[in-house]
Amino acid sequence: MSTSLAWDERYQNGGFEFGEAPNLYLQSQAHRLRPGMRALAVGDGEGRNGVWLAGQGLAVTSLDWSGVGLAKAASLARQRGVALNTITADAAAWDWPRARFDLIAWIYLHLPPADRAKATAGAMAALAPGGLLVLECFTPAQEGRRSGGPKLRDLLWSRAIVEECFAGLEVLELLEGTVFLDEGPRHQGHAEVVRALLRKV
């Protein structure tokens, strides 16, 4: 199973493992964003999503368990001329704030079931009333494909897992299917994903 040290090693090269551009599904929600919104990019790695959100005028916190990845995120933010708050922590063990964020971006964060339950409960508590959660993760149909994703089936998501983990949030979109990824060297080609847009009522 991956550890923070393993991700530190991955991020130590000079390039960006998942590119510098934001996830396309997150980017497709740009019309919902307003300057000054408080956002959390969880599992943000090298910062591609958090930095993009900051570029839209949001007050962004990027959380990841790799300090090496977040150092690259901070550097990318400086290059783009945007402010980015970074927190090095395990999403399953972090002391999630209450009603803090207007948007949470959960992009390709895959955790073991027990850790996933803790992190998703924290995320729901951390959403402010009316807050949005945008999720894209790999599904079991991704197994065997070379376009990315964890090798352990327990780490994969599904529509049913989204509904279970985020029960109580209003479902605005919830889709499973094939997308084409062009996100750095680690996410390339057709992939099987679940996408969700959820709102705290």
Side-chain angles (χ1 to χ4, degrees):
M1 185 172 297
S2 292
T3 65
S4 58
L5 290 176
W7 281 101
D8 281 346
E9 291 179 4
R10 290 184 188 184
Y11 291 145
Q12 278 171 353
N13 66 44
F16 279 72
E17 295 291 287
F18 304 100
E20 296 180 31
N23 172 263
L24 288 179
Y25 184 58
L26 177 62
Q27 193 173 25
S28 76
Q29 307 303 322
H31 64 285
R32 302 179 186 275
L33 307 180
R34 300 290 180 270
M37 289 176 71
R38 302 159 299 168
L40 173 70
V42 60
D44 200 32
E46 298 163 306
R48 65 191 179 107
N49 295 310
V51 170
W52 177 78
L53 288 168
Q56 310 308 300
L58 279 65
V60 183
T61 297
S62 286
L63 181 131
D64 199 272
W65 66 352
S66 170
V68 173
L70 289 179
K72 292 170 78 172
S75 177
L76 183 62
R78 287 192 296 271
Q79 292 172 28
R80 301 273 175 86
V82 297
L84 185 71
N85 179 42
T86 61
I87 296 177
T88 304
D90 181 344
W94 188 41
D95 184 14
W96 290 77
R98 297 281 170 174
R100 173 75 58 84
F101 300 108
D102 305 303
L103 174 76
I104 294 178
W106 187 298
I107 306 297
Y108 294 113
L109 176 59
H110 297 87
L111 301 170
D115 287 347
R116 181 172 60 213
K118 293 175 185 174
T120 54
M124 285 197 295
L127 276 176
L132 299 172
L133 187 141
V134 180
L135 176 145
E136 182 170 300
C137 289
F138 292 112
T139 68
Q142 177 68 5
E143 288 184 294
R145 289 183 178 265
R146 296 183 178 180
S147 48
K151 305 300 185 227
L152 297 177
R153 189 177 181 88
D154 281 353
L155 304 185
L156 297 167
W157 283 76
S158 67
R159 182 188 179 103
I161 290 173
V162 171
E163 291 174 331
E164 176 185 355
C165 286
F166 294 111
L169 298 185
E170 179 185 7
V171 176
L172 303 181
E173 294 178 359
L174 183 51
L175 308 166
E176 275 187 358
T178 307
V179 300
F180 184 81
L181 296 181
D182 182 13
E183 301 182 331
R186 288 195 175 268
H187 283 177
Q188 287 291 324
H190 289 96
E192 300 296 326
V193 306
V194 58
R195 287 175 164 178
L197 177 65
L198 311 171
R199 181 167 58 197
K200 187 168 188 176
V201 294

